[in-house]
Every structure is written in C-alpha cells, then in structure tokens.
Amino acid sequence: MYYVSETDMLKAMRMALYDEVIRTPGMIQNQDLDGLTDFITVLSNHFPVLSFSNDIRRTKRTTSTVLKNSERARFVFLHMREFLESRRGRRSRVYANPFPVNSSWQHCKGTLPTFRGYTCGLWTTFHALTVHTYIDTIKDSNVDALKPLKSIQGWVKGFFGCQNCKEHFMNMTTYKLPMTERRVRHPQDMMTYLWRAHNIVNNRLHGDPSEDPQFTKLQFPPPFLCPTCHSGGQFSRRQVRNFLLRYYGNIKPHNRLRDRKLAFF
C-alpha cells in the first residue's frame, strides 16, 4: 500500500537535522552553514501541517486535517532557523517532542532494517516540501520556484551521510538534470523537477542490492496508482502534477497513542 506518512517524514527530519548534522566534522560554516539555514527555513515555512482529502485543486470539495506533531515540529524548525544548533535539545522538549523516535517506520518500513527507512523518509519529505510550498504560495506571483529545490540540494551536499548517494545526487542535479531556471520556470515545476529526478534515481537503483524486493524501484507513479498518468507509454505531465498534489497533500497523521513512552533528547 502506498501512502504518505507524517511519522516517516518526522523521523527522517529528526535524523537529517540531529544525526547527520551532528556527525559533520569541524565547524559548520560558509556554504554549509548557508545550506543548512536555507533548508531549515524551507522546513519552518512549508513543512506540511495539513493533510488534504479529495482534490486540493477543488477547494469546495476538500477537507483538511491538522497534523499536530508537524505543527509543533514547525516551531522547532523555526527556533533552529533562529538559533541553529545552540538550543536544540531544550526547544524540542518545549514543544512536547514532536519527533517520534520510538515509532516504527510506517509506509517507509522495509522488509529488512537495511531497506528503505531513512532514505525513503527523506524522499517523501522532499516531495512533500515541494508540493506544500506550491500550495502555500499558489497566490504569490513572486515565488522563487528554485528556492526549495536549492535548499534540498544544499542540505544533501553539506550533510547527507551517504557519500555515494550524495555524489550521484549532486552529479544528477548539476549535469544530468541541471537544477536551473530553464528547467524550473514556473511554481509547479518545483514538483515535477523533483519527480523527474527521483525517477532517474529509481532507474539507476533498479536491481541494485539496496533495492527492497517487496518495493522494487518502479517509475513513479506506477499505473496501478495513477492510470491517467500514463498515455501511450509516456507520462502525462499534467496528470502527474495533479497526482503529486493529491498524493503528497493527503498525509496519514502520526498516531501518538502508539507511543506510550515519551523520548527525550
């Protein structure tokens, strides 16, 4: 079953900001500091706090659910943006620890602990950020569509712990599929650019030992998820864009009742 999980995104962001950043050797400064600040800024502004049902493009037919843990997480991201790492532990406790460290991965759970998990959660969050940035700024004629993508690229370059993954990602977004204004001209392009990039990664990793045999690296979305996205052996960009809005707009909320123990940092 395919779905977007608030739990997975929160777990991935805790690992991305707490574990990966802390492992960075030496002082965080210059380009890495700028990249971290930009990424946290996008999180504090556009990390999803609402889950939409039905088609978000038809507002009269749409209902929304508040993602309460994510709402608190945004405050943590806000303080991280202001103080970066200096107030990390105390700020998390102030907002009742929104990051579910004791929860299992949900949609991103692999058949073995070595499969999916963190990297799945990262990609899910990256896609959700582009979709919700688009939703949040849909009436803003001056939105910089490259900004959320560049912030993701900056975090990967400075802090992603998988060196091989980082090199492939940077090569792809610099040379194979350059992250430039020519490719990202309009607000909706931020969503479709990342979709194209992820499918390039899926194609490269199909059949790789890191591939979960129960979740093979298909070109996304597969026909069983979005039949209208496929036409004559090709993707329909318009239908894919609508699918991305529906899929990453409808987020399964974290179930706090499953977390009987409150973990502190």
Side-chain angles (χ1 to χ4, degrees):
M1 181 179 179
Y2 284 75
Y3 61 93
V4 178
S5 164
E6 180 189 18
T7 303
D8 290 347
M9 291 193 295
L10 289 170
K11 282 177 68 68
M13 285 303 95
R14 183 192 180 279
M15 294 174 70
L17 296 177
Y18 287 71
D19 299 343
E20 299 273 41
V21 171
I22 288 174
R23 281 199 294 262
T24 303
M27 293 286 292
I28 299 173
Q29 54 189 344
N30 301 327
Q31 193 175 43
D32 286 346
L33 181 59
D34 292 340
L36 179 61
T37 303
D38 289 345
F39 185 58
I40 291 174
T41 297
V42 172
L43 290 173
S44 66
N45 289 336
H46 302 298
F47 191 79
V49 294
L50 292 175
S51 176
F52 300 96
S53 61
N54 300 322
D55 190 344
I56 65 173
R57 298 170 68 88
R58 300 176 181 177
T59 55
K60 292 182 179 179
R61 300 183 182 180
T62 300
T63 59
S64 61
T65 301
V66 175
L67 302 171
K68 294 183 179 180
N69 272 49
S70 293
E71 201 171 44
R72 293 197 302 275
R74 266 213 198 177
F75 285 108
V76 177
F77 299 143
L78 177 62
H79 284 292
M80 282 184 171
R81 185 181 75 188
E82 295 172 348
F83 302 105
L84 293 178
E85 291 295 299
S86 63
R87 303 286 183 91
R88 183 176 62 248
R90 185 161 67 88
R91 293 296 178 181
S92 293
R93 287 193 285 271
V94 166
Y95 294 106
N97 189 20
F99 303 103
V101 292
N102 287 341
S103 297
S104 299
W105 295 104
Q106 302 297 302
H107 169 63
C108 286
K109 184 177 182 179
T111 54
L112 293 174
T114 53
F115 293 142
R116 308 185 79 224
Y118 175 48
T119 53
C120 168
L122 277 181
W123 274 112
T124 300
T125 307
F126 293 163
H127 284 294
L129 280 174
T130 61
V131 168
H132 285 260
T133 299
Y134 174 77
I135 295 169
D136 293 342
T137 61
I138 199 165
K139 295 182 179 180
D140 184 356
S141 59
N142 297 315
V143 63
D144 182 355
L146 267 176
K147 192 170 184 178
L149 294 172
K150 287 291 187 180
S151 75
I152 291 168
Q153 185 189 52
W155 179 85
V156 170
K157 181 180 180 181
F159 302 101
F160 193 23
C162 173
Q163 189 63 34
N164 184 55
C165 308
K166 177 190 300 188
E167 290 173 359
H168 278 291
F169 186 88
M170 294 307 299
N171 181 69
M172 174 181 65
T173 57
T174 305
Y175 302 108
K176 190 168 187 177
L177 187 69
M179 193 182 285
T180 62
E181 290 182 357
R182 187 175 71 85
R183 294 184 183 274
V184 187
R185 296 180 180 179
H186 309 289
Q188 63 268 26
D189 294 342
M190 70 178 89
M191 300 184 292
T192 53
Y193 175 89
L194 198 65
W195 161 73
R196 289 183 65 192
H198 198 172
N199 272 341
I200 290 173
V201 174
N202 284 342
N203 185 61
R204 178 174 62 83
L205 294 179
H206 182 61
D208 188 84
S210 65
E211 183 180 48
D212 191 326
Q214 296 300 315
F215 288 89
T216 54
K217 301 290 186 181
L218 303 172
Q219 292 297 284
F220 191 84
F224 65 83
L225 267 185
C226 183
T228 60
C229 291
H230 298 260
S231 178
Q234 301 292 325
F235 279 112
S236 165
R237 292 290 183 87
R238 182 177 181 179
Q239 293 299 326
V240 167
R241 185 169 66 245
N242 291 339
F243 169 81
L244 294 173
L245 285 166
R246 292 193 303 271
Y247 187 76
Y248 290 101
N250 186 9
I251 300 169
K252 180 180 178 181
H254 172 63
N255 185 354
R256 295 192 70 206
L257 295 179
R258 293 180 181 176
D259 296 336
R260 297 299 182 184
K261 296 181 180 179
L262 184 62
F264 291 95
F265 296 96

